[in-house]
Amino acid sequence: MGLALTVRYRIDPARLAYIQANLPQPIDQEIVEPVVASTFRDLSPKYIVRDLFSIKRGEYREKATQTITSRLAEDGIVVKEVLLRKVQLPQEYARGLEGLPRKRTGDDRTSVDAQIELKKVKIAESQAEAAKIRQIKHAEADAQSRVLMAKSESDSMQYTLPLKQKQIEQSRLEAEARKEATIKNAEADAAAQVKSAEAAGQAKVIGTKADAERSRLLSESQNVLVVKNAEAAAQAKIIDSKAELEHRNLLADAQAHNIRVTSQAEAERLQLEASALKTNPLLVQYTVAQRLSDACKS
């Protein structure tokens, strides 16, 4: 009796070093073929030839598959499938089977067709498993790509943050410069106003003195104008009082203007710092450290 066989197997990667070092090469000729041949040779005498061709064919293949799988597994060879493709009967026995009823032949063909369909199902399952593995690999590749992108963004932030800090520091310096310029301008305006008020007061004082001197001279020369001179003196005093009051008002206005300008400059500075801290929260620690340093220096 002749058999047409196909054995699908693979090498266990974990035992590859052992196989290369201890098993004869090539494996298919030196290991697989002898094991398969001896297994079917030892199993065949337990079956009737007619049964192997018909009803016992599946059982015969399953037992052979179990034996082959077990024996090859000892050497690190994983058997995936054993196919019994054809059973070739002896010529005398084949001629004797020609007289069997057609029904039995039809049953045998049905059994063979069922095995073929079963193989197709297994192939489809293998293809589905391969597609699943490909999807998993694609998902892993996408995840690695996202990790690399996130790392790239993090590296970019490490270079961008110092630049942002320099820009914020530059803005702070510019704000301080504007504040100092505003304070100086306010001080200059106040000083000018004070000097102008002093000059006006002095001019009024000089005028008052001149009027008093003139009144005195007129009183000495014209006794008739005594009353008018007294009224002129009273008016001069009122003018002096008004001049003094105006002088004080000017000084108060200058001081108030100076306070307003200073307060406005301080508010602008605080607003700039708050805006900078809101844009980049990392400057909070920098600002706190700077103020602590200023406090320690003072």
Side-chain angles (χ1 to χ4, degrees):
M1 180 180 68
L3 299 175
L5 303 170
T6 298
V7 179
R8 296 177 61 242
Y9 66 92
R10 65 179 177 85
I11 304 300
D12 187 358
R15 303 186 63 186
L16 185 59
Y18 168 80
I19 293 173
Q20 292 292 336
N22 297 282
L23 298 184
Q25 303 293 330
I27 293 176
D28 55 349
Q29 296 179 4
E30 298 295 333
I31 302 294
V32 178
E33 288 183 4
V35 169
V36 173
S38 64
T39 299
F40 279 98
R41 185 170 52 251
D42 295 340
L43 193 60
S44 296
K46 299 179 182 180
Y47 292 89
I48 301 175
V49 176
R50 182 181 60 188
D51 292 340
L52 292 179
F53 186 75
S54 57
I55 59 176
K56 297 291 186 178
R57 180 170 180 165
E59 177 184 331
Y60 177 60
R61 185 187 63 82
E62 290 296 333
K63 288 185 177 182
T65 300
Q66 293 175 2
T67 303
I68 293 171
T69 302
S70 176
R71 292 179 62 181
L72 292 180
E74 297 175 356
D75 294 325
I77 301 173
V78 180
V79 177
K80 298 174 118 179
E81 189 177 21
V82 177
L83 300 178
L84 181 57
R85 294 186 289 107
K86 184 177 180 181
V87 177
Q88 186 176 1
L89 300 176
Q91 294 182 356
E92 295 81 2
Y93 194 83
R95 285 195 296 268
L97 287 178
E98 291 178 357
L100 293 176
R102 293 182 179 272
K103 182 176 181 300
R104 181 174 297 177
T105 304
D107 293 339
D108 294 340
R109 290 180 179 176
T110 301
S111 176
V112 173
D113 292 339
Q115 291 182 0
I116 293 174
E117 292 297 327
L118 181 61
K119 301 306 176 188
K120 291 180 179 180
V121 171
K122 290 183 178 181
I123 293 172
E125 290 177 352
S126 300
Q127 293 175 348
E129 184 68 21
K132 179 180 178 182
I133 293 174
R134 286 195 296 270
Q135 291 178 355
I136 293 173
K137 294 296 183 182
H138 286 312
E140 292 177 350
D142 292 339
Q144 292 178 354
S145 177
R146 288 194 292 271
V147 169
L148 291 175
M149 291 178 63
K151 184 178 180 181
S152 176
E153 292 177 358
S154 176
D155 295 339
S156 176
M157 285 299 297
Q158 291 179 359
Y159 294 102
T160 304
L161 184 58
L163 180 60
K164 293 293 183 182
Q165 291 177 347
K166 290 181 179 179
Q167 292 176 351
I168 292 171
E169 180 66 18
Q170 181 66 25
S171 300
R172 185 184 66 80
L173 294 175
E174 292 176 355
E176 291 180 354
R178 288 195 297 270
K179 173 187 172 183
E180 292 178 359
T182 302
I183 292 172
K184 289 181 179 180
N185 291 333
E187 292 176 350
D189 292 340
Q193 291 176 2
V194 170
K195 289 182 180 179
S196 177
E198 290 177 352
Q202 289 176 358
K204 289 181 179 180
V205 169
I206 292 171
T208 302
K209 290 180 178 180
D211 291 339
E213 184 66 20
R214 187 172 56 254
S215 298
R216 187 181 63 80
L217 293 173
L218 288 174
S219 64
E220 291 178 356
S221 61
Q222 297 178 358
N223 292 327
V224 182
L225 298 177
V226 174
V227 175
K228 291 183 178 181
N229 289 335
E231 292 177 352
Q235 290 179 355
K237 290 181 179 180
I238 292 172
I239 291 172
D240 290 339
S241 297
K242 289 182 178 180
E244 183 66 19
L245 180 60
E246 186 175 357
H247 173 69
R248 291 178 180 178
N249 289 336
L250 288 174
L251 289 176
D253 291 338
Q255 291 177 355
H257 180 72
N258 187 15
I259 292 172
R260 285 195 303 272
V261 170
T262 303
S263 299
Q264 185 177 1
E266 183 65 17
E268 290 179 355
R269 183 184 68 80
L270 293 175
Q271 186 176 3
L272 287 173
E273 289 182 356
S275 177
L277 291 175
K278 184 177 180 181
T279 304
N280 194 340
L282 294 177
L283 288 178
V284 174
Q285 296 179 356
Y286 174 79
T287 304
V288 172
Q290 184 178 16
R291 291 186 176 180
L292 290 174
S293 178
D294 294 340
C296 291
K297 290 180 181 179
S298 62

